[in-house]
Amino acid sequence: MMSEISKKVILKAQFFDVDSMNVVWHGNYIKYLETARCELLDEIGYNYEAMKNDGFAFPVVKLDIKYAKPVFFGDEIEVEAILVEFESFLKFRYIIRNVKTKEKLSVANSSQVAVDMKDMQTCLLLPEPIKKAIKRYQNEKLNSNI
Protein backbone atom coordinates (compact mmCIF):
# COMPACT_ATOMS: atom_id res chain seq x y z
CA MET A 1 0.00 0.00 0.00
CA MET A 2 1.25 3.45 -0.91
CA SER A 3 1.87 5.86 1.94
CA GLU A 4 0.32 9.21 1.17
CA ILE A 5 2.58 11.73 -0.49
CA SER A 6 1.36 15.30 -0.28
CA LYS A 7 2.55 18.87 -0.36
CA LYS A 8 0.80 22.04 0.80
CA VAL A 9 1.51 25.49 -0.60
CA ILE A 10 0.13 28.83 0.51
CA LEU A 11 -0.88 31.24 -2.24
CA LYS A 12 -2.54 34.64 -2.26
CA ALA A 13 -5.25 35.52 -4.77
CA GLN A 14 -3.79 38.31 -6.87
CA PHE A 15 -5.61 41.18 -8.59
CA PHE A 16 -4.83 39.75 -12.04
CA ASP A 17 -6.56 36.47 -11.04
CA VAL A 18 -9.98 37.99 -10.32
CA ASP A 19 -12.99 39.11 -12.32
CA SER A 20 -15.01 42.32 -11.88
CA MET A 21 -16.67 40.85 -8.77
CA ASN A 22 -13.23 40.29 -7.10
CA VAL A 23 -13.75 36.52 -7.40
CA VAL A 24 -10.92 34.36 -8.74
CA TRP A 25 -11.81 33.38 -12.30
CA HIS A 26 -12.37 29.61 -12.52
CA GLY A 27 -9.57 29.04 -15.06
CA ASN A 28 -6.95 30.37 -12.65
CA TYR A 29 -7.50 27.45 -10.31
CA ILE A 30 -5.51 25.32 -12.78
CA LYS A 31 -2.51 27.56 -12.15
CA TYR A 32 -2.90 27.00 -8.39
CA LEU A 33 -3.13 23.22 -8.84
CA GLU A 34 -0.04 23.17 -11.06
CA THR A 35 1.92 25.20 -8.52
CA ALA A 36 1.17 22.66 -5.79
CA ARG A 37 1.82 19.70 -8.10
CA CYS A 38 5.21 21.11 -9.18
CA GLU A 39 6.19 21.64 -5.53
CA LEU A 40 5.24 18.04 -4.77
CA LEU A 41 7.28 16.70 -7.70
CA ASP A 42 10.24 18.82 -6.57
CA GLU A 43 9.95 17.33 -3.10
CA ILE A 44 9.84 13.79 -4.51
CA GLY A 45 13.00 14.61 -6.45
CA TYR A 46 11.65 13.98 -9.93
CA ASN A 47 10.28 17.15 -11.49
CA TYR A 48 9.39 18.10 -15.05
CA GLU A 49 13.01 18.94 -15.88
CA ALA A 50 14.10 15.44 -14.84
CA MET A 51 11.25 13.93 -16.84
CA LYS A 52 12.31 15.88 -19.92
CA ASN A 53 15.97 14.94 -19.43
CA ASP A 54 14.93 11.27 -19.33
CA GLY A 55 13.01 11.69 -22.59
CA PHE A 56 9.45 11.83 -21.26
CA ALA A 57 6.60 14.30 -21.29
CA PHE A 58 3.72 14.05 -18.83
CA PRO A 59 0.69 15.81 -20.34
CA VAL A 60 -2.45 16.27 -18.30
CA VAL A 61 -5.11 14.05 -19.89
CA LYS A 62 -7.91 14.56 -17.39
CA LEU A 63 -8.82 17.34 -14.99
CA ASP A 64 -11.91 17.93 -12.92
CA ILE A 65 -12.58 20.66 -10.39
CA LYS A 66 -15.48 21.14 -8.02
CA TYR A 67 -15.92 24.77 -7.00
CA ALA A 68 -17.73 24.77 -3.65
CA LYS A 69 -16.97 28.31 -2.42
CA PRO A 70 -15.25 31.25 -4.13
CA VAL A 71 -11.77 32.61 -3.57
CA PHE A 72 -11.73 36.41 -3.41
CA PHE A 73 -9.03 38.97 -4.16
CA GLY A 74 -6.47 38.96 -1.36
CA ASP A 75 -7.54 35.65 0.15
CA GLU A 76 -4.75 33.36 1.26
CA ILE A 77 -5.38 29.80 0.23
CA GLU A 78 -3.72 26.51 1.04
CA VAL A 79 -3.48 24.21 -1.95
CA GLU A 80 -2.68 20.61 -1.10
CA ALA A 81 -1.56 18.24 -3.85
CA ILE A 82 -1.77 14.53 -3.01
CA LEU A 83 -0.30 11.79 -5.20
CA VAL A 84 -2.88 9.01 -5.15
CA GLU A 85 -1.70 6.71 -7.96
CA PHE A 86 1.52 6.07 -9.86
CA GLU A 87 1.40 2.67 -11.55
CA SER A 88 0.22 3.32 -15.10
CA PHE A 89 -0.20 7.09 -14.80
CA LEU A 90 0.09 9.91 -12.28
CA LYS A 91 -3.12 10.79 -10.48
CA PHE A 92 -3.31 13.71 -8.08
CA ARG A 93 -6.05 14.89 -5.75
CA TYR A 94 -6.14 18.51 -4.64
CA ILE A 95 -7.84 20.31 -1.78
CA ILE A 96 -8.03 24.10 -1.65
CA ARG A 97 -8.77 25.68 1.73
CA ASN A 98 -9.04 29.21 3.05
CA VAL A 99 -5.99 29.74 5.30
CA LYS A 100 -7.86 31.83 7.89
CA THR A 101 -11.07 29.82 8.18
CA LYS A 102 -9.70 26.37 7.18
CA GLU A 103 -12.90 26.02 5.12
CA LYS A 104 -12.68 23.72 2.11
CA LEU A 105 -13.26 25.80 -1.04
CA SER A 106 -12.57 23.39 -3.88
CA VAL A 107 -11.48 19.87 -4.65
CA ALA A 108 -9.92 18.63 -7.87
CA ASN A 109 -8.30 15.64 -9.55
CA SER A 110 -5.85 15.42 -12.42
CA SER A 111 -4.32 12.55 -14.37
CA GLN A 112 -1.14 12.56 -16.43
CA VAL A 113 0.30 9.92 -18.71
CA ALA A 114 3.91 9.42 -19.68
CA VAL A 115 4.76 9.94 -23.34
CA ASP A 116 8.08 8.66 -24.69
CA MET A 117 9.36 11.63 -26.69
CA LYS A 118 11.53 9.46 -28.98
CA ASP A 119 8.52 7.89 -30.68
CA MET A 120 5.68 10.03 -29.25
CA GLN A 121 4.03 6.90 -27.82
CA THR A 122 2.00 6.82 -24.64
CA CYS A 123 3.57 4.54 -22.05
CA LEU A 124 1.25 1.87 -20.64
CA LEU A 125 3.21 1.91 -17.39
CA LEU A 126 5.05 4.77 -15.75
CA PRO A 127 8.75 4.91 -16.59
CA GLU A 128 11.08 3.39 -14.01
CA PRO A 129 12.92 6.64 -13.14
CA ILE A 130 9.80 8.26 -11.68
CA LYS A 131 8.68 5.07 -9.93
CA LYS A 132 12.12 4.77 -8.34
CA ALA A 133 12.08 8.41 -7.24
CA ILE A 134 8.66 8.01 -5.62
CA LYS A 135 9.64 4.79 -3.85
CA ARG A 136 12.94 6.35 -2.69
CA TYR A 137 11.00 9.33 -1.32
CA GLN A 138 8.54 7.02 0.49
CA ASN A 139 11.42 5.04 2.03
CA GLU A 140 13.17 8.23 3.19
CA LYS A 141 9.93 9.46 4.79
CA LEU A 142 9.37 6.08 6.44
CA ASN A 143 12.94 5.96 7.77
CA SER A 144 12.78 9.54 9.08
CA ASN A 145 9.65 8.63 11.10
CA ILE A 146 11.36 5.72 12.89
Side-chain angles (χ1 to χ4, degrees):
M1 185 174 131
M2 182 176 106
S3 62
E4 188 172 277
I5 299 174
S6 68
K7 179 71 176 175
K8 295 177 182 178
V9 297
I10 304 294
L11 303 170
K12 187 173 184 176
Q14 300 296 319
F15 181 74
F16 51 78
D17 287 341
V18 300
D19 61 18
S20 61
M21 301 299 291
N22 282 339
V23 174
V24 170
W25 175 66
H26 69 278
N28 283 317
Y29 284 66
I30 296 168
K31 177 175 57 175
Y32 302 155
L33 303 179
E34 287 186 355
T35 299
R37 184 174 67 239
C38 285
E39 290 285 331
L40 177 56
L41 292 171
D42 282 343
E43 185 158 312
I44 289 169
Y46 198 79
N47 58 23
Y48 290 112
E49 192 66 30
M51 294 171 188
K52 185 173 95 173
N53 289 341
D54 285 339
F56 298 100
F58 279 78
V60 172
V61 294
K62 184 177 181 186
L63 172 69
D64 66 86
I65 305 172
K66 180 178 180 183
Y67 304 95
K69 302 236 176 174
V71 176
F72 294 97
F73 171 63
D75 283 354
E76 282 191 317
I77 56 172
E78 175 189 85
V79 184
E80 182 177 16
I82 306 150
L83 180 61
V84 295
E85 187 173 332
F86 67 96
E87 284 302 318
S88 57
F89 61 97
L90 296 176
K91 183 175 182 181
F92 294 90
R93 183 174 73 239
Y94 308 88
I95 303 168
I96 299 176
R97 290 188 169 86
N98 181 293
V99 169
K100 284 183 185 172
T101 67
K102 304 297 184 209
E103 185 174 28
K104 190 184 296 183
L105 305 174
S106 295
V107 293
N109 295 285
S110 70
S111 298
Q112 295 170 260
V113 297
V115 175
D116 188 328
M117 296 306 291
K118 288 187 299 287
D119 57 13
M120 298 303 290
Q121 292 296 309
T122 300
C123 301
L124 299 178
L125 295 173
L126 278 183
E128 282 305 309
I130 191 166
K131 283 184 174 182
K132 286 179 182 177
I134 292 168
K135 289 176 182 173
R136 183 174 51 250
Y137 177 81
Q138 287 176 317
N139 288 335
E140 288 170 3
K141 285 298 231 184
L142 183 65
N143 290 334
S144 70
N145 290 332
I146 295 177

mmCIF file of all heavy atoms in Angstrom, residues 23-35 65-72 77 79 96 105-106:
data_model
loop_
_atom_site.group_PDB
_atom_site.id
_atom_site.type_symbol
_atom_site.label_atom_id
_atom_site.label_comp_id
_atom_site.label_asym_id
_atom_site.label_seq_id
_atom_site.Cartn_x
_atom_site.Cartn_y
_atom_site.Cartn_z
ATOM 1 N N VAL A 23 -13.770 37.969 -7.578
ATOM 2 C CA VAL A 23 -13.751 36.519 -7.399
ATOM 3 C C VAL A 23 -12.711 35.937 -8.359
ATOM 4 O O VAL A 23 -12.645 36.335 -9.525
ATOM 5 C CB VAL A 23 -15.149 35.915 -7.691
ATOM 6 C CG1 VAL A 23 -15.107 34.393 -7.661
ATOM 7 C CG2 VAL A 23 -16.183 36.448 -6.711
ATOM 8 N N VAL A 24 -11.907 35.004 -7.871
ATOM 9 C CA VAL A 24 -10.919 34.359 -8.740
ATOM 10 C C VAL A 24 -11.655 33.659 -9.878
ATOM 11 O O VAL A 24 -12.582 32.877 -9.656
ATOM 12 C CB VAL A 24 -10.049 33.362 -7.953
ATOM 13 C CG1 VAL A 24 -9.198 32.514 -8.892
ATOM 14 C CG2 VAL A 24 -9.147 34.110 -6.967
ATOM 15 N N TRP A 25 -11.246 33.987 -11.100
ATOM 16 C CA TRP A 25 -11.811 33.375 -12.303
ATOM 17 C C TRP A 25 -11.505 31.889 -12.286
ATOM 18 O O TRP A 25 -10.392 31.466 -11.945
ATOM 19 C CB TRP A 25 -11.215 34.058 -13.537
ATOM 20 C CG TRP A 25 -11.628 33.458 -14.829
ATOM 21 C CD1 TRP A 25 -12.869 33.440 -15.372
ATOM 22 C CD2 TRP A 25 -10.779 32.758 -15.758
ATOM 23 N NE1 TRP A 25 -12.863 32.785 -16.582
ATOM 24 C CE2 TRP A 25 -11.584 32.354 -16.831
ATOM 25 C CE3 TRP A 25 -9.425 32.437 -15.769
ATOM 26 C CZ2 TRP A 25 -11.083 31.645 -17.917
ATOM 27 C CZ3 TRP A 25 -8.942 31.745 -16.853
ATOM 28 C CH2 TRP A 25 -9.764 31.356 -17.906
ATOM 29 N N HIS A 26 -12.480 31.067 -12.663
ATOM 30 C CA HIS A 26 -12.365 29.610 -12.523
ATOM 31 C C HIS A 26 -11.139 29.019 -13.218
ATOM 32 O O HIS A 26 -10.552 28.062 -12.733
ATOM 33 C CB HIS A 26 -13.642 28.921 -13.013
ATOM 34 C CG HIS A 26 -13.862 29.014 -14.489
ATOM 35 N ND1 HIS A 26 -14.421 30.122 -15.086
ATOM 36 C CD2 HIS A 26 -13.573 28.146 -15.473
ATOM 37 C CE1 HIS A 26 -14.479 29.927 -16.387
ATOM 38 N NE2 HIS A 26 -13.974 28.732 -16.655
ATOM 39 N N GLY A 27 -10.724 29.565 -14.336
ATOM 40 C CA GLY A 27 -9.570 29.035 -15.057
ATOM 41 C C GLY A 27 -8.258 29.202 -14.313
ATOM 42 O O GLY A 27 -7.307 28.453 -14.548
ATOM 43 N N ASN A 28 -8.186 30.160 -13.402
ATOM 44 C CA ASN A 28 -6.952 30.375 -12.654
ATOM 45 C C ASN A 28 -6.689 29.298 -11.609
ATOM 46 O O ASN A 28 -5.563 29.158 -11.134
ATOM 47 C CB ASN A 28 -6.953 31.757 -12.000
ATOM 48 C CG ASN A 28 -6.650 32.836 -13.012
ATOM 49 O OD1 ASN A 28 -5.762 32.689 -13.846
ATOM 50 N ND2 ASN A 28 -7.386 33.919 -12.963
ATOM 51 N N TYR A 29 -7.712 28.530 -11.266
ATOM 52 C CA TYR A 29 -7.501 27.446 -10.315
ATOM 53 C C TYR A 29 -6.489 26.443 -10.862
ATOM 54 O O TYR A 29 -5.731 25.840 -10.099
ATOM 55 C CB TYR A 29 -8.820 26.730 -10.007
ATOM 56 C CG TYR A 29 -9.726 27.491 -9.070
ATOM 57 C CD1 TYR A 29 -10.304 28.701 -9.445
ATOM 58 C CD2 TYR A 29 -10.008 26.996 -7.806
ATOM 59 C CE1 TYR A 29 -11.147 29.385 -8.601
ATOM 60 C CE2 TYR A 29 -10.850 27.675 -6.945
ATOM 61 C CZ TYR A 29 -11.416 28.883 -7.344
ATOM 62 O OH TYR A 29 -12.240 29.565 -6.496
ATOM 63 N N ILE A 30 -6.462 26.259 -12.165
ATOM 64 C CA ILE A 30 -5.512 25.324 -12.775
ATOM 65 C C ILE A 30 -4.080 25.737 -12.450
ATOM 66 O O ILE A 30 -3.238 24.904 -12.134
ATOM 67 C CB ILE A 30 -5.757 25.231 -14.296
ATOM 68 C CG1 ILE A 30 -7.145 24.637 -14.554
ATOM 69 C CG2 ILE A 30 -4.668 24.409 -14.974
ATOM 70 C CD1 ILE A 30 -7.623 24.745 -15.977
ATOM 71 N N LYS A 31 -3.831 27.034 -12.493
ATOM 72 C CA LYS A 31 -2.511 27.559 -12.148
ATOM 73 C C LYS A 31 -2.161 27.216 -10.693
ATOM 74 O O LYS A 31 -1.030 26.824 -10.391
ATOM 75 C CB LYS A 31 -2.513 29.068 -12.372
ATOM 76 C CG LYS A 31 -1.266 29.790 -11.998
ATOM 77 C CD LYS A 31 -1.326 31.257 -12.384
ATOM 78 C CE LYS A 31 -2.519 31.967 -11.775
ATOM 79 N NZ LYS A 31 -2.529 33.406 -12.044
ATOM 80 N N TYR A 32 -3.129 27.322 -9.796
ATOM 81 C CA TYR A 32 -2.895 27.003 -8.392
ATOM 82 C C TYR A 32 -2.595 25.511 -8.213
ATOM 83 O O TYR A 32 -1.700 25.134 -7.456
ATOM 84 C CB TYR A 32 -4.105 27.388 -7.541
ATOM 85 C CG TYR A 32 -4.502 28.848 -7.605
ATOM 86 C CD1 TYR A 32 -5.810 29.219 -7.334
ATOM 87 C CD2 TYR A 32 -3.601 29.854 -7.925
ATOM 88 C CE1 TYR A 32 -6.202 30.549 -7.368
ATOM 89 C CE2 TYR A 32 -3.982 31.194 -7.977
ATOM 90 C CZ TYR A 32 -5.290 31.525 -7.694
ATOM 91 O OH TYR A 32 -5.676 32.841 -7.735
ATOM 92 N N LEU A 33 -3.348 24.670 -8.924
ATOM 93 C CA LEU A 33 -3.127 23.224 -8.839
ATOM 94 C C LEU A 33 -1.737 22.870 -9.351
ATOM 95 O O LEU A 33 -1.024 22.058 -8.749
ATOM 96 C CB LEU A 33 -4.189 22.466 -9.638
ATOM 97 C CG LEU A 33 -5.653 22.716 -9.284
ATOM 98 C CD1 LEU A 33 -6.557 21.896 -10.193
ATOM 99 C CD2 LEU A 33 -5.944 22.466 -7.822
ATOM 100 N N GLU A 34 -1.354 23.464 -10.475
ATOM 101 C CA GLU A 34 -0.038 23.174 -11.055
ATOM 102 C C GLU A 34 1.092 23.619 -10.150
ATOM 103 O O GLU A 34 2.122 22.959 -10.059
ATOM 104 C CB GLU A 34 0.085 23.814 -12.435
ATOM 105 C CG GLU A 34 -0.742 23.095 -13.469
ATOM 106 C CD GLU A 34 -0.541 23.617 -14.878
ATOM 107 O OE1 GLU A 34 0.177 24.616 -15.075
ATOM 108 O OE2 GLU A 34 -1.105 22.992 -15.792
ATOM 109 N N THR A 35 0.897 24.728 -9.460
ATOM 110 C CA THR A 35 1.919 25.198 -8.521
ATOM 111 C C THR A 35 2.141 24.166 -7.430
ATOM 112 O O THR A 35 3.283 23.804 -7.127
ATOM 113 C CB THR A 35 1.511 26.559 -7.916
ATOM 114 O OG1 THR A 35 1.392 27.520 -8.965
ATOM 115 C CG2 THR A 35 2.531 27.036 -6.894
ATOM 116 N N ILE A 65 -12.603 19.755 -11.535
ATOM 117 C CA ILE A 65 -12.583 20.663 -10.394
ATOM 118 C C ILE A 65 -14.011 20.874 -9.913
ATOM 119 O O ILE A 65 -14.905 21.116 -10.726
ATOM 120 C CB ILE A 65 -11.968 22.037 -10.762
ATOM 121 C CG1 ILE A 65 -10.577 21.875 -11.357
ATOM 122 C CG2 ILE A 65 -11.927 22.946 -9.532
ATOM 123 C CD1 ILE A 65 -9.988 23.169 -11.907
ATOM 124 N N LYS A 66 -14.193 20.789 -8.615
ATOM 125 C CA LYS A 66 -15.479 21.141 -8.019
ATOM 126 C C LYS A 66 -15.273 22.432 -7.240
ATOM 127 O O LYS A 66 -14.472 22.486 -6.312
ATOM 128 C CB LYS A 66 -15.977 20.037 -7.087
ATOM 129 C CG LYS A 66 -17.313 20.391 -6.460
ATOM 130 C CD LYS A 66 -17.819 19.286 -5.572
ATOM 131 C CE LYS A 66 -19.156 19.694 -4.983
ATOM 132 N NZ LYS A 66 -19.665 18.706 -4.052
ATOM 133 N N TYR A 67 -15.997 23.460 -7.645
ATOM 134 C CA TYR A 67 -15.922 24.769 -7.003
ATOM 135 C C TYR A 67 -17.039 24.856 -5.974
ATOM 136 O O TYR A 67 -18.204 25.020 -6.335
ATOM 137 C CB TYR A 67 -16.092 25.884 -8.031
ATOM 138 C CG TYR A 67 -15.109 25.823 -9.175
ATOM 139 C CD1 TYR A 67 -15.446 25.200 -10.376
ATOM 140 C CD2 TYR A 67 -13.857 26.387 -9.055
ATOM 141 C CE1 TYR A 67 -14.553 25.154 -11.427
ATOM 142 C CE2 TYR A 67 -12.952 26.342 -10.104
ATOM 143 C CZ TYR A 67 -13.306 25.727 -11.293
ATOM 144 O OH TYR A 67 -12.425 25.682 -12.328
ATOM 145 N N ALA A 68 -16.708 24.737 -4.693
ATOM 146 C CA ALA A 68 -17.729 24.771 -3.648
ATOM 147 C C ALA A 68 -17.962 26.196 -3.146
ATOM 148 O O ALA A 68 -19.106 26.613 -2.966
ATOM 149 C CB ALA A 68 -17.333 23.864 -2.494
ATOM 150 N N LYS A 69 -16.881 26.936 -2.919
ATOM 151 C CA LYS A 69 -16.965 28.311 -2.420
ATOM 152 C C LYS A 69 -15.918 29.142 -3.150
ATOM 153 O O LYS A 69 -14.858 28.636 -3.504
ATOM 154 C CB LYS A 69 -16.688 28.353 -0.923
ATOM 155 C CG LYS A 69 -17.618 27.495 -0.102
ATOM 156 C CD LYS A 69 -18.288 28.306 0.929
ATOM 157 C CE LYS A 69 -19.277 27.412 1.667
ATOM 158 N NZ LYS A 69 -19.873 28.062 2.768
ATOM 159 N N PRO A 70 -16.189 30.426 -3.358
ATOM 160 C CA PRO A 70 -15.249 31.251 -4.126
ATOM 161 C C PRO A 70 -14.002 31.666 -3.336
ATOM 162 O O PRO A 70 -14.003 31.701 -2.113
ATOM 163 C CB PRO A 70 -16.088 32.483 -4.479
ATOM 164 C CG PRO A 70 -17.105 32.575 -3.398
ATOM 165 C CD PRO A 70 -17.403 31.151 -2.996
ATOM 166 N N VAL A 71 -12.964 31.969 -4.096
ATOM 167 C CA VAL A 71 -11.766 32.612 -3.568
ATOM 168 C C VAL A 71 -11.845 34.059 -4.029
ATOM 169 O O VAL A 71 -12.094 34.329 -5.207
ATOM 170 C CB VAL A 71 -10.475 31.949 -4.107
ATOM 171 C CG1 VAL A 71 -9.246 32.704 -3.620
ATOM 172 C CG2 VAL A 71 -10.404 30.480 -3.701
ATOM 173 N N PHE A 72 -11.635 34.981 -3.103
ATOM 174 C CA PHE A 72 -11.729 36.409 -3.408
ATOM 175 C C PHE A 72 -10.344 37.044 -3.451
ATOM 176 O O PHE A 72 -9.378 36.516 -2.881
ATOM 177 C CB PHE A 72 -12.581 37.127 -2.350
ATOM 178 C CG PHE A 72 -14.024 36.704 -2.355
ATOM 179 C CD1 PHE A 72 -14.476 35.744 -1.463
ATOM 180 C CD2 PHE A 72 -14.919 37.246 -3.258
ATOM 181 C CE1 PHE A 72 -15.805 35.342 -1.467
ATOM 182 C CE2 PHE A 72 -16.248 36.862 -3.269
ATOM 183 C CZ PHE A 72 -16.690 35.899 -2.368
ATOM 184 N N ILE A 77 -4.864 31.151 0.354
ATOM 185 C CA ILE A 77 -5.385 29.799 0.232
ATOM 186 C C ILE A 77 -4.254 28.793 0.399
ATOM 187 O O ILE A 77 -3.098 29.068 0.072
ATOM 188 C CB ILE A 77 -6.103 29.569 -1.125
ATOM 189 C CG1 ILE A 77 -5.179 29.888 -2.300
ATOM 190 C CG2 ILE A 77 -7.402 30.352 -1.179
ATOM 191 C CD1 ILE A 77 -5.737 29.506 -3.659
ATOM 192 N N VAL A 79 -3.204 25.177 -0.907
ATOM 193 C CA VAL A 79 -3.476 24.205 -1.953
ATOM 194 C C VAL A 79 -2.654 22.968 -1.641
ATOM 195 O O VAL A 79 -1.422 23.024 -1.592
ATOM 196 C CB VAL A 79 -3.115 24.757 -3.352
ATOM 197 C CG1 VAL A 79 -3.490 23.755 -4.431
ATOM 198 C CG2 VAL A 79 -3.782 26.104 -3.593
ATOM 199 N N ILE A 96 -8.312 22.675 -1.839
ATOM 200 C CA ILE A 96 -8.033 24.101 -1.653
ATOM 201 C C ILE A 96 -8.837 24.575 -0.451
ATOM 202 O O ILE A 96 -10.060 24.390 -0.396
ATOM 203 C CB ILE A 96 -8.398 24.923 -2.903
ATOM 204 C CG1 ILE A 96 -7.567 24.450 -4.102
ATOM 205 C CG2 ILE A 96 -8.186 26.420 -2.638
ATOM 206 C CD1 ILE A 96 -7.912 25.144 -5.412
ATOM 207 N N LEU A 105 -12.683 24.979 0.027
ATOM 208 C CA LEU A 105 -13.260 25.796 -1.035
ATOM 209 C C LEU A 105 -13.458 25.025 -2.330
ATOM 210 O O LEU A 105 -14.434 25.243 -3.044
ATOM 211 C CB LEU A 105 -12.377 27.025 -1.299
ATOM 212 C CG LEU A 105 -12.066 27.903 -0.091
ATOM 213 C CD1 LEU A 105 -11.076 28.990 -0.472
ATOM 214 C CD2 LEU A 105 -13.340 28.483 0.495
ATOM 215 N N SER A 106 -12.523 24.154 -2.635
ATOM 216 C CA SER A 106 -12.570 23.385 -3.885
ATOM 217 C C SER A 106 -11.832 22.076 -3.714
ATOM 218 O O SER A 106 -10.926 21.971 -2.880
ATOM 219 C CB SER A 106 -11.907 24.157 -5.035
ATOM 220 O OG SER A 106 -12.608 25.324 -5.333
#
